[in-house]
Amino acid sequence: MIVATMLYLCVVLIGRRHWSATQSMFGVFHFTVRAVSLFVIGLSCCFLIQRNDVRADMTAERLSTLSPETLKLLREIKVENPVIIEAFISPNVPEPYIQTVLNVRAVLGEIASRCKNSVTVKINEIKPHTQEALNAAQRYDIRPQPVRFAARGTLEQSDIFLGIAFRYGLKTVTLPFIDRGLSAEYELVHALSSIVDPTRKRVGILVTDAPLMGGVDYSTFLMRPSWRIVDELRKQYTVVEVDPREPIVEKYDALLAIQPSSLGPQEMQNFVGAIRNGQPAVIFEDPMPLPGFSGDLPGTAAPRRAPGGGMAMMMQQQSPPKGDITLLWELLDVSLNGDRAVWQDYNPIRKIASLPKGFVFVDRTRADEQNAPQPFDSKDAISSDIQYMMFAFPGSVKQSTRPNSKITFSPLVKTFRDPAGYVTVSNLRRLRSETEIERYYEIEPSQSELAVHIQGELPPLPSQPLEEGQTPPKPEPVKLNVVLIADVDMISNGMFELRSRGTEPGSGINLNFDNVTFVLNAIDSVTDDTRYLTVRGRRPAHRTLQEFDRQTATIRDDASSKRSEKQKEFDAEVSASEEELKKTEEELRKQYKSGNVGENEATVRILTKIASIQKKMMESKEQKERELEIALEEADVELNKRIHAIQSRYKFLAVAIPPIPPLLIGLIVLIIRRSRETEGVPKTRRRK
């Protein structure tokens, strides 16, 4: 409105020289009243629009438009008193968090507009170390969070606020921090629905060797927290522990079982009995859980850990017996080989080129680009909106061929890239380097199923003994509803951390894994709570500078190729040194067996030679590691320089180009006006 008023004044001032003497006397007052009236009209329109909250999403990506499922949830909110939503947001945030702040503000604005009578939204812009920050910490435990981000090639840290508090009566729900990897729409709508809806379904956590509920870590004698999947479930469900040492007779809306192969014989029978009785369940079974992800958890075919952790190993306690996991596979009409882990030759994170092929990335977009088989089931609500997942050395689930079976087997997630196949867990545990493991990779022509949805009917349960005169009830088939996922690491706390951080804009590394979304969808599906299935997977896509992204992607690909080459050279040299050590040891042992040297002399020679080679190998390895580190650092510096040069060029063009069109227009207008001023004037009267 200010721009329109100023343009009008410019037009008035330009035409002022054509006013007559009478117009000059009254013109100033007349046009001043006009300009003030125009400004008042514009200001009144702004107030009217603001009070009536006329909103229109003009973005091509519909960034401020809520999904139909979210609108349905908002319409279903019925409260006696308004829900108060207080947002605490820093006025200035680092570049990687700008999109997150925009998403949060857009969703809050839509909620306030759609729920005027039931929700009150207040956005507070606060800074750390202020009275407002102290009030937020005391009232809602919302504190500034330290975030690290890359800026001009250096790693920087900043403390920012991005927390939301919901109040309804005496109840309070707090989101301490919405990180950039989270869906703002899902987090806000989920918290709003949970505070106004007191009814909750029950999810049982089966007690296995996986410490989901936390407890004492006997290897360190410290308390360990519960897994973050449990904290996430508590936002929506009532979570209880289920002890399989006794028959599971109580029915839960869903039963979550992590690594049931670690159960004892009686516990396994009780668990299989619960599934046989129609208990809906989400089961995770992993042939090779990684210690860095899932802790000290035994694989499917590995023996159980003795109770007591490291102390039990020192006391040489025997491992407790394991139950027969094939009882569960026979019931579900599937098979899962406990000595096979899946691999796939696809790594989208080129900056970590040395990542083993056992880290299986499943990417819908990449599969579409390469016309590869679709990795996700688009017909099942659990996986229909999933885009990108990562598994760590997962297993493979296959359907059995039991005759007259009424069980349907729906693969939710499959490998999509060729080549892909399996490697035995025994080789993975025996070998160390990826170069050695690659020799044992077996290729499979078909896709491997990493997660499946098993539904159908089981035969009726045996009838109970009847008293005299009772009529036997009509036998009814048992409903089966189970989601089986052949990886435990994909639900670990590390995946939650990656989910929270998401992808830093401009980094070229995509960490927006949908693992947590997939697991929550699976639990919602078996509990028949489908309110958030679509909302949870929705991610607004902000428009970026496509030409800039294309150029920087090319630079990053070149840098990644150089890093990969340096890493391969390093691995090859280390493998060569290890092979030399093995050959030397074998030659010395052959000399001993041939009788050329005595036992003591041979032992001394072998140990001396091995020590000498190991010393040289360690020195060479340390030198190569330093050279590799320097080479990678130089590649990163060169990458940042080239990206910064492109950024500077586009910034200069963004500043230099916009003034050119109006300057050209002004020059053309000046030339035309000068030429018109001389029209009809005799040459003798023109200024020379």
Side-chain angles (χ1 to χ4, degrees):
M1 202 60 241
I2 295 176
V3 173
T5 304
M6 293 298 106
L7 286 176
Y8 177 73
L9 289 177
C10 290
V11 172
V12 172
L13 293 176
I14 290 174
R16 182 181 178 184
R17 60 177 181 159
H18 300 293
W19 294 353
S20 62
T22 306
Q23 288 177 327
S24 299
M25 184 179 302
F26 300 101
V28 174
F29 175 76
H30 176 75
F31 287 106
T32 300
V33 173
R34 276 191 177 187
V36 172
S37 301
L38 180 62
F39 182 78
V40 171
I41 291 172
L43 194 62
S44 302
C45 292
C46 291
F47 276 112
L48 287 174
I49 294 174
Q50 184 178 14
R51 290 184 63 86
N52 291 275
D53 198 13
V54 178
R55 301 173 62 85
D57 190 354
M58 307 301 293
T59 60
E61 294 79 10
R62 314 301 294 171
L63 297 177
S64 298
T65 301
L66 301 179
S67 64
E69 290 74 14
T70 299
L71 296 177
K72 180 181 177 182
L73 290 172
L74 295 179
R75 286 193 297 268
E76 292 175 352
I77 293 178
K78 306 296 182 183
V79 292
E80 297 179 357
N81 300 311
V83 179
I84 299 175
I85 303 178
E86 283 195 74
F88 300 90
I89 303 174
S90 295
N92 299 308
V93 298
E95 182 180 355
Y97 286 85
I98 292 177
Q99 293 183 2
T100 305
V101 172
L102 292 176
N103 292 337
V104 171
R105 288 181 174 273
V107 175
L108 289 176
E110 286 296 309
I111 292 176
S113 175
R114 303 278 180 175
C115 307
K116 297 178 181 179
N117 299 324
S118 56
V119 177
T120 301
V121 176
K122 180 181 180 182
I123 298 179
N124 304 290
E125 293 189 352
I126 61 175
K127 299 180 180 179
H129 312 297
T130 60
Q131 184 61 42
E132 292 80 4
L134 181 61
N135 294 338
Q138 292 176 345
R139 296 178 62 187
Y140 306 113
D141 198 26
I142 294 178
R143 306 174 188 276
Q145 299 293 321
V147 296
R148 305 181 72 183
F149 56 95
R152 296 185 178 274
T154 61
L155 197 62
E156 298 182 4
Q157 180 171 311
S158 178
D159 294 339
I160 64 173
F161 280 95
L162 195 50
I164 317 290
F166 298 78
R167 287 190 291 119
Y168 178 59
L170 299 177
K171 294 187 294 184
T172 301
V173 173
T174 301
L175 302 177
F177 191 76
I178 300 181
D179 223 323
R180 61 173 179 256
L182 304 179
S183 170
E185 180 177 346
Y186 166 69
E187 294 292 332
L188 294 174
V189 174
H190 183 271
L192 179 60
S193 299
S194 64
I195 199 172
V196 299
D197 185 7
T199 59
R200 291 192 171 201
K201 294 188 175 184
R202 300 174 75 233
V203 172
I205 304 292
L206 190 72
V207 177
T208 63
D209 285 0
L212 264 70
M213 305 296 286
V216 179
D217 185 353
Y218 290 102
S219 60
T220 59
F221 296 100
L222 297 175
M223 290 295 296
R224 51 191 171 194
S226 60
W227 284 25
R228 292 180 63 177
I229 180 62
V230 177
D231 299 333
E232 191 72 23
L233 290 175
R234 282 173 175 155
K235 297 179 181 178
Q236 184 175 346
Y237 299 101
T238 299
V239 179
V240 296
E241 263 190 329
V242 179
D243 190 352
R245 291 178 296 183
E246 301 292 335
I248 305 173
V249 295
E250 188 174 357
K251 195 71 174 288
Y252 302 92
D253 294 291
L255 185 62
L256 179 63
I258 307 294
Q259 206 69 0
S261 62
S262 63
L263 295 173
Q266 185 60 46
E267 297 165 341
M268 178 65 72
Q269 291 183 9
N270 293 335
F271 172 58
V272 174
I275 303 298
R276 177 67 180 84
N277 291 331
Q279 172 63 62
V282 177
I283 303 173
F284 293 82
E285 183 60 43
D286 194 343
M288 186 179 171
L290 298 184
F293 284 81
S294 304
D296 195 20
L297 195 61
T300 303
R304 293 182 69 183
R305 305 288 190 263
M311 292 295 296
M313 296 178 61
M314 294 174 60
M315 298 174 65
Q316 298 183 350
Q317 292 185 11
Q318 292 185 351
S319 299
K322 296 181 71 172
D324 187 3
I325 192 67
T326 58
L327 296 175
L328 179 62
W329 304 151
E330 290 174 358
L331 177 66
L332 300 179
D333 198 18
V334 299
S335 63
L336 193 154
N337 193 327
D339 192 42
R340 286 187 178 184
V342 175
W343 65 272
Q344 181 178 255
D345 189 12
Y346 173 61
N347 179 11
I349 308 179
R350 296 191 177 185
K351 201 168 184 178
I352 315 178
S354 59
L355 203 64
K357 295 178 182 178
F359 285 89
V360 178
F361 296 87
V362 185
D363 191 346
R364 184 192 295 270
T365 304
R366 190 70 171 179
D368 293 339
E369 292 175 354
Q370 299 182 349
N371 294 322
Q374 186 54 245
F376 298 106
D377 185 2
S378 300
K379 298 179 181 179
D380 198 303
I382 298 175
S383 55
S384 59
D385 292 328
I386 300 299
Q387 301 293 326
Y388 184 47
M389 293 181 67
M390 185 185 79
F391 299 81
F393 292 92
S396 176
V397 184
K398 297 186 180 299
Q399 186 178 17
S400 301
T401 55
R402 188 168 64 193
N404 301 323
S405 175
K406 295 184 178 180
I407 297 177
T408 59
F409 179 90
S410 303
L412 298 175
V413 186
K414 299 184 289 187
T415 55
F416 75 97
R417 185 68 180 264
D418 185 27
Y422 69 89
V423 60
T424 60
V425 174
S426 54
N427 284 328
L428 287 174
R429 297 189 182 280
R430 180 174 58 88
L431 304 173
R432 295 183 179 180
S433 66
E434 177 68 11
T435 305
E436 293 179 321
I437 296 174
E438 283 187 354
R439 301 174 186 173
Y440 298 91
Y441 282 155
E442 298 288 343
I443 297 178
E444 281 194 338
S446 59
Q447 294 175 275
S448 297
E449 287 83 9
L450 310 180
V452 298
H453 196 179
I454 305 168
Q455 296 173 293
E457 294 181 351
L458 296 173
L461 295 171
S463 58
Q464 300 295 328
L466 300 176
E467 297 180 0
E468 186 177 354
Q470 281 187 327
T471 303
K474 182 181 179 180
E476 295 183 358
V478 178
K479 299 292 184 180
L480 183 67
N481 189 7
V482 173
V483 175
L484 176 59
I485 303 169
D487 188 31
V488 171
D489 305 315
M490 61 91 65
I491 198 180
S492 63
N493 290 344
M495 288 299 174
F496 274 84
E497 187 66 24
L498 292 177
R499 171 192 180 236
S500 298
R501 293 183 178 181
T503 298
E504 182 175 335
S507 65
I509 301 177
N510 185 6
L511 298 178
N512 278 327
F513 301 121
D514 291 326
N515 292 30
V516 177
T517 300
F518 179 84
V519 174
L520 296 177
N521 284 354
I523 296 174
D524 284 358
S525 178
V526 299
T527 59
D528 199 25
D529 185 1
T530 59
R531 294 176 295 171
Y532 307 109
L533 286 178
T534 305
V535 180
R536 189 179 287 122
R538 187 169 183 263
R539 288 178 176 171
H542 290 260
R543 182 68 62 89
T544 59
L545 301 176
Q546 296 179 354
E547 180 63 22
F548 173 77
D549 290 344
R550 186 188 64 79
Q551 294 189 25
T552 54
T554 303
I555 296 174
R556 287 194 176 90
D557 290 343
D558 294 341
S560 298
S561 300
K562 293 179 181 178
R563 292 173 65 93
S564 179
E565 292 174 1
K566 293 291 183 182
Q567 187 68 48
K568 288 181 179 178
E569 292 176 2
F570 173 75
D571 292 340
E573 292 176 358
V574 172
S575 298
S577 300
E578 293 176 351
E579 289 292 334
E580 181 184 356
L581 178 62
K582 290 180 181 179
K583 289 180 180 179
T584 304
E585 184 177 352
E586 290 175 358
E587 290 176 0
L588 291 174
R589 293 188 185 280
K590 287 179 181 180
Q591 292 181 11
Y592 164 68
K593 291 180 179 180
S594 63
N596 296 333
V597 293
E599 180 179 358
N600 294 334
E601 184 179 355
T603 303
V604 172
R605 285 187 181 184
I606 291 174
L607 294 177
T608 304
K609 190 67 176 177
I610 290 176
S612 175
I613 294 177
Q614 283 182 339
K615 183 179 179 180
K616 291 181 180 179
M617 189 177 70
M618 290 301 297
E619 292 177 353
S620 176
K621 185 177 180 180
E622 291 177 358
Q623 177 65 24
K624 295 299 180 183
E625 285 179 347
R626 287 194 294 269
E627 292 177 359
L628 175 64
E629 186 178 348
I630 292 173
L632 296 180
E633 186 175 351
E634 289 177 350
D636 288 340
V637 170
E638 181 64 22
L639 171 65
N640 291 324
K641 281 183 178 179
R642 295 177 66 181
I643 291 178
H644 180 60
I646 295 176
Q647 289 176 337
S648 300
R649 183 170 75 251
Y650 277 102
K651 288 180 180 178
F652 172 76
L653 294 176
V655 174
I657 292 178
I660 293 177
L663 290 176
L664 290 176
I665 293 174
L667 181 62
I668 294 172
V669 171
L670 177 63
I671 294 173
I672 294 174
R673 291 182 67 87
R674 293 289 295 176
S675 63
R676 287 181 177 179
E677 287 179 355
T678 59
E679 289 181 1
V681 180
K683 293 183 178 180
T684 56
R685 298 187 57 187
R686 295 179 186 175
R687 182 179 299 176
K688 295 182 180 181

